[in-house]
Amino acid sequence: PTDLTLTRLGTNLTHVQLSWTGSSPRYEVFYSLRGSDDIQSLVNTTDTTYIATSGLNHSETYEFFVVSYDNDGTAVLPSVNSSIESVTLTLPSVSDLTAISTSNTITLT
C-alpha cells in the first residue's frame, strides 16, 4: 500500500482514521507507541480505510503502518513509497474561559 494518511477525528477523542491506496485483497494495520519495539496488530481488513476507535490513549504518540497480503495470504512488505504516519493524541486546551454565576445558573463564555 502507498499514500498512507492519518486523520484525527475530533479534538477530544482518541479516534483516528487511516486511509491508503492499494489493490490487494487484504491488509493488516499495525501500530506502536513512538520509539517502542512493541508493534501491535490493530485490524485485518479488505478496505483501504479504517477508523480506530479504541485502544489509543491521550498524551501518547502512535505510529501506524499497513501491510498488504496477496491472494495466497503472503505478506507483501510495505513498499518504498509507503510511509509510517504518526499522531500525538493531546487533550484540547481552553483559554479565555469566563464563568458567570447568577442565581442557579452558570454561563460559560
Side-chain angles (χ1 to χ4, degrees):
T2 59
D3 303 319
L4 176 63
T5 59
L6 189 146
T7 305
R8 186 170 176 192
L9 303 177
T11 57
N12 197 26
L13 301 175
T14 56
H15 300 176
V16 294
Q17 177 177 311
L18 295 98
S19 60
W20 56 92
T21 303
S23 58
S24 295
R26 186 170 67 87
Y27 302 94
E28 189 169 5
V29 178
F30 293 90
Y31 78 102
S32 69
L33 286 171
R34 179 179 275 168
S36 172
D37 292 333
D38 185 21
I39 298 170
Q40 301 290 320
S41 174
L42 190 59
V43 68
N44 282 287
T45 182
T46 57
D47 296 324
T48 56
T49 300
Y50 177 72
I51 297 176
T53 59
S54 64
L56 306 176
N57 298 308
H58 286 291
S59 303
E60 300 286 359
T61 300
Y62 294 93
E63 295 179 334
F64 296 86
F65 67 95
V66 179
V67 173
S68 58
Y69 292 86
D70 64 19
N71 287 325
D72 296 326
T74 303
V76 179
L77 294 178
S79 70
V80 174
N81 295 328
S82 69
S83 60
I84 295 175
E85 287 291 326
S86 63
V87 62
T88 301
L89 301 174
T90 56
L91 290 171
S93 61
V94 177
S95 60
D96 300 325
L97 177 66
T98 303
I100 301 170
S101 175
T102 55
S103 57
N104 293 329
T105 304
I106 295 177
T107 304
L108 302 175
T109 58

